[in-house]
Amino acid sequence: MQTKRAYRFRFYPTPEQASTLARTFGCVRVVYNHMLSLRSTAWAERQERLGYHATSAALTALKKMPDYAWLNEVSCVPLQQALRHLQTAFVGFFTKQTGYPRFKRKDGTQSAEYTASAFRWDGRSLKLAKMTEALPIRWSRQIPKAAKVTTVTVSKDAADRYFVSLLCDDVVAQKTPTSSCVGIDLGLSHFAVLSTGEKVDAPQIFRKHEVKLAKLQRRLARKQKGSARRAKAKLKVAKLHAKIADIRRDFLHQLSTRLIHENQVIAVESLSVSNMQKNRCLSKSIGDAGWSEFVRQLEYKARWYGREFVRVDRWYPSSRRCHSCGYVSPKLPLSVRHWSCPGCNADHDRDINAAHNVLAAGLAVLAHGETVRPECMSDDVQRLGSVKWESLSFREGSSQKVPPSTTRPVI
């Protein structure tokens, strides 16, 4: 599969490279904030919309001004890319996908993007414009020789770490089709419960470091603003936050990759995480779990490797429905972890039963192409918990399923 793929590495710049990057980051931030202010003022005062071409002409005039002559000391490519990013931010705002663009902070994450004309890549080393030496990158994995590097993004996070991301035109080989299918029920005590009966414990990364983080934050709050000790305390807090994020990201990548490699169909319940976090008692645990990132990883990895990823409607009663007979319990509080079905007297583990129902509903969507809301489900689809999907097969080397007319449930 032909796709865009980014390879991210950490590097340790020399003092000269760090100085060049600091000037580049500052120029990119100034240009972005200046053009954002210019576009906002033009609309507020004259109801005039300025696009990328207008800001590009304004940048050319700005670089000729004596007060902004230092913009010419860095490569012009990251400055132009900042204008394109600003245009993308406004497009997202006008299409109601994101909020209004915000100004970049000096003490936040810094980044600069280089296109093909501003870097040199020979397959083993990377040299950026305005630099005489290649970046000392720690190569944690090898970039395929067939991959063509199109864009390089250099960034510095709040923990004072430098990263370089190489965006490539890459070909991802699809995995061999398999007959395994899995339904996933996401939770808090167990991060994921699979329809196979496996329960993946929640790592609770933030909870494990919460006491230490609170201690560092109290020390930071006592430091005088603008002092060197406050900067040191702030760096310690940022490093701990970065450690928590790295551990969580590594856990999610390992789990999502394993599930994608082992299963052809992955069904997950669609959750409104932003609304669930309004619960003050559970918001911290929900944010610590990282459900949205996990689902995002499953989705793009399934697209890469030729798997089927299905989102089940959030209102589907996966926990209250018996996967054996289809009986739906009118109420099932969160405190009830095990329950018996009045229809067939089957004993159910709440989470495993939900995972079975999520899988059945996901297979129903693939086979019938219909919604899984209870009021819209046919009688056949409602009994999918006891169905054996022996006829569900996939074409060799393809992610497309057999048409519904030839794929019927075996009762």
Side-chain angles (χ1 to χ4, degrees):
M1 176 183 176
Q2 188 76 25
T3 185
K4 291 282 188 180
R5 188 171 185 176
Y7 293 85
R8 187 168 180 255
F9 306 94
R10 187 175 179 181
F11 71 98
Y12 300 85
T14 62
E16 294 78 9
Q17 292 174 340
S19 178
T20 302
L21 290 175
R23 290 197 302 269
T24 304
F25 293 151
C27 292
V28 168
R29 184 179 65 254
V30 168
V31 169
Y32 186 94
N33 292 342
H34 181 86
M35 296 308 168
L36 174 57
S37 177
L38 184 67
R39 295 181 65 157
S40 301
T41 304
W43 175 256
E45 295 180 354
R46 304 184 300 274
Q47 300 295 303
E48 178 184 2
R49 285 190 177 182
L50 301 181
Y52 165 76
H53 296 288
T55 54
S56 180
L59 175 60
T60 303
L62 186 67
K63 295 170 71 174
K64 294 180 181 180
M65 299 175 60
D67 293 341
Y68 291 91
W70 41 268
L71 291 176
N72 298 288
E73 298 177 1
V74 301
S75 174
C76 63
V77 174
L79 306 184
Q80 291 292 336
Q81 291 301 106
L83 301 183
R84 291 187 172 90
H85 293 166
L86 179 61
Q87 178 65 22
T88 302
F90 271 103
V91 170
F93 169 70
F94 290 131
T95 56
K96 297 183 179 180
Q97 297 178 357
T98 59
Y100 193 80
R102 295 182 295 180
F103 292 98
K104 293 183 179 294
R105 294 172 56 92
K106 185 176 182 179
D107 57 350
T109 301
Q110 309 294 318
S111 64
E113 186 176 279
Y114 296 80
T115 55
S117 61
F119 68 86
R120 184 180 301 172
W121 165 253
D122 59 3
R124 293 175 298 177
S125 61
L126 177 67
K127 184 184 294 185
L128 302 178
K130 301 292 185 179
M131 292 187 184
T132 58
E133 300 179 358
L135 294 180
I137 302 175
R138 299 297 182 263
W139 302 103
S140 56
R141 54 178 171 168
Q142 187 176 4
I143 298 179
K145 295 182 179 179
K148 180 182 178 182
V149 180
T150 58
T151 306
V152 172
T153 302
V154 181
S155 60
K156 177 184 177 183
D157 63 5
D160 206 17
R161 303 181 301 176
Y162 290 86
F163 294 93
V164 59
S165 179
L166 286 74
L167 182 64
C168 308
D169 290 328
D170 198 4
V171 177
V172 180
Q174 295 189 348
K175 300 294 181 181
T176 304
T178 178
S179 59
S180 300
C181 305
V182 66
I184 305 175
D185 179 66
L186 300 176
L188 295 178
S189 58
H190 293 92
F191 176 80
V193 178
L194 310 183
S195 56
T196 58
E198 178 185 357
K199 292 186 177 182
V200 181
D201 292 333
Q204 298 182 348
I205 311 300
F206 182 82
R207 293 286 188 180
K208 294 178 180 179
H209 297 83
E210 187 176 12
V211 175
K212 183 177 180 181
L213 181 62
K215 181 179 180 180
L216 293 178
Q217 288 176 331
R218 285 195 299 269
R219 290 180 178 177
L220 174 62
R222 290 194 292 265
K223 299 297 186 292
Q224 184 178 358
K225 291 186 178 181
S227 64
R229 290 188 176 182
R230 181 178 177 85
K232 292 181 181 179
K234 187 175 182 180
L235 182 60
K236 291 182 180 180
V237 173
K239 286 184 176 180
L240 185 55
H241 274 297
K243 179 180 179 179
I244 294 172
D246 289 344
I247 298 175
R248 182 187 297 116
R249 189 183 305 109
D250 180 69
F251 166 78
L252 297 179
H253 271 297
Q254 290 193 27
L255 179 59
S256 61
T257 300
R258 178 172 70 88
L259 294 176
I260 290 295
H261 287 184
E262 294 177 353
N263 302 279
Q264 183 69 34
V265 178
I266 301 94
V268 181
E269 188 176 8
S270 178
L271 300 175
S272 179
V273 178
S274 59
N275 289 336
M276 296 176 67
Q277 285 189 316
K278 296 178 181 179
N279 186 331
R280 297 179 60 184
C281 299
L282 301 177
S283 59
K284 185 182 296 185
S285 298
I286 293 174
D288 190 18
W291 291 338
S292 298
E293 174 63 15
F294 177 67
V295 173
R296 186 192 70 86
Q297 292 180 10
L298 285 176
E299 188 171 12
Y300 83 78
K301 290 179 182 179
R303 184 172 62 254
W304 280 4
Y305 299 114
R307 304 307 198 196
E308 293 288 346
F309 177 78
V310 188
R311 291 176 182 264
V312 177
D313 192 282
R314 71 184 63 171
W315 302 112
Y316 178 65
S318 58
S319 298
R320 296 186 289 111
R321 179 182 293 276
C322 173
H323 77 273
S324 299
C325 66
Y327 172 81
V328 180
S329 175
K331 289 184 179 180
L332 193 65
L334 285 175
S335 59
V336 178
R337 310 313 301 175
H338 293 80
W339 62 285
S340 298
C341 175
C344 62
N345 296 323
D347 294 329
H348 294 302
D349 179 284
R350 177 194 183 102
D351 298 328
I352 296 179
N353 176 68
H356 280 294
N357 287 325
V358 168
L359 175 60
L363 294 174
V365 173
L366 290 180
H368 295 267
E370 60 182 270
T371 180
V372 293
R373 282 179 180 259
E375 64 271 15
C376 301
M377 293 171 61
S378 62
D379 294 338
D380 290 339
V381 178
Q382 291 186 21
R383 296 198 307 269
L384 286 176
S386 58
V387 165
K388 293 177 63 179
W389 289 81
E390 297 175 350
S391 60
L392 187 63
S393 59
F394 296 85
R395 299 175 183 175
E396 182 71 18
S398 173
S399 62
Q400 295 183 357
K401 54 186 177 298
V402 177
S405 58
T406 60
T407 305
R408 306 301 301 173
V410 179
I411 306 297

